[in-house]
Amino acid sequence: MHTYQEIKQEILRRINDQVWPVGFTLPHEEKLAEEFNVARGTMRQALTSLVDAGLIERRRRAGTRVVNRKAHSSKLTIPLVRHEVEKLGKTYSYQLISNLERGGLSGLSGFSDTAKLRHIICLHLSDGEPYQLEDRLLNLDTIPEANNETFSNISPNEWLLQQVPYSTVKTTLRADKSSEADRKYLQLKKSDPVFVIERQTHLNGAALTSVRMSYPAHSFQITTVTE
């Protein structure tokens, strides 16, 4: 791991452990470079990566401070489903299907054998029509605050992006046969395929979440632009 990445991991730990809570002003770049015994350029690289992740904000004269992730959601590498729908000019809505506590899922998605998990299934809608089925596992050992959230009025996708820092993301995109749940909630026929995004997030090596997001293949596409 490069030095700037090690510094980033340590700052992420401080933010996640509330050593540096939202609103906290970080020491000056020069002071941080001294603390970590690195060149200012290395420290600047670490801080810039945290700015890009939406965890800190750098302002001239005001310094660098920890911010609420909600204020910088547009910079996150994980998109908000609500924003996806609204960009299409549609009205977004959300339905919670189930929210259950689980355990003993040995080796599943990188979670430890003894991990206490919350299994959430929910549906995202566009103009009242099924848009995405979200099937997610949350690690309550690393996200204990999820114990107090019902997810009745906010999706796990949106709640996590507002509340939980992450350091690494693994994303897999693939076409797949529709599952029984896909057909039920996305209103598909047995022969209809789905487009699937699977994602695992970690913080400092600890598993946070694992999610399978399925879309009706006939109505979903991803477009990227390189400039």
Side-chain angles (χ1 to χ4, degrees):
M1 182 180 291
H2 295 295
T3 302
Y4 88 89
Q5 292 174 319
E6 294 173 347
I7 297 170
K8 177 183 176 181
Q9 294 285 345
E10 172 57 21
I11 295 177
L12 278 168
R13 184 196 66 77
R14 295 180 188 184
I15 294 173
N16 191 54
D17 292 347
Q18 297 293 299
V19 177
W20 290 355
V22 172
F24 176 81
T25 299
L26 276 64
H28 191 273
E29 183 181 286
E30 183 177 356
K31 292 291 185 182
L32 286 172
E34 290 178 4
E35 176 188 346
F36 288 96
N37 194 28
V38 295
R40 289 186 64 177
T42 301
M43 178 54 63
R44 190 174 299 115
Q45 187 177 12
L47 294 175
T48 298
S49 67
L50 291 166
V51 170
D52 292 341
L55 288 170
I56 63 174
E57 177 181 71
R58 308 185 79 180
R59 289 187 177 181
R60 213 172 201 182
R61 297 181 181 176
T64 302
R65 66 183 184 92
V66 179
V67 296
N68 189 322
R69 291 174 70 82
K70 182 178 181 180
H72 281 260
S73 60
S74 63
K75 292 188 176 181
L76 297 173
T77 57
I78 298 177
L80 283 175
V81 180
R82 176 168 55 82
H83 288 178
E84 291 181 7
V85 172
E86 290 173 348
K87 285 180 180 178
L88 296 173
K90 308 289 187 178
T91 299
Y92 170 81
S93 56
Y94 159 79
Q95 294 178 1
L96 177 66
I97 297 170
S98 64
N99 180 3
L100 302 172
E101 192 170 302
R102 299 180 64 178
L105 303 177
S106 178
L108 180 64
S109 302
F111 298 115
S112 70
D113 294 350
T114 58
K116 182 181 176 183
L117 305 175
R118 187 168 294 282
H119 185 197
I120 302 166
I121 301 176
C122 56
L123 184 66
H124 303 268
L125 300 104
S126 172
D127 277 356
E129 297 295 325
Y131 177 78
Q132 181 208 93
L133 181 65
E134 178 180 349
D135 188 335
R136 183 183 295 273
L137 289 170
L138 289 174
N139 188 351
L140 296 176
D141 293 335
T142 52
I143 316 175
E145 55 266 46
N147 275 303
N148 302 317
E149 178 55 57
T150 65
F151 298 103
S152 298
N153 300 312
I154 186 171
S155 73
N157 166 255
E158 190 154 354
W159 183 85
L160 285 163
L161 291 181
Q162 292 180 9
Q163 302 292 334
V164 183
Y166 58 85
S167 54
T168 59
V169 182
K170 178 182 178 182
T171 302
T172 302
L173 312 177
R174 60 186 174 85
D176 202 358
K177 295 179 180 178
S178 58
S179 67
E180 184 177 346
D182 290 330
R183 294 190 291 273
K184 179 178 180 179
Y185 294 109
L186 296 177
Q187 300 177 11
L188 301 174
K189 298 178 182 177
K190 190 172 183 178
S191 59
D192 290 339
V194 288
F195 185 87
V196 174
I197 300 177
E198 293 177 338
R199 181 176 291 127
Q200 292 85 41
T201 58
H202 293 74
L203 178 65
N204 303 330
L208 296 173
T209 76
S210 177
V211 61
R212 177 185 185 270
M213 298 165 286
S214 54
Y215 302 78
H218 68 271
S219 62
F220 182 77
Q221 65 180 18
I222 293 177
T223 302
T224 61
V225 178
T226 302
E227 298 180 351

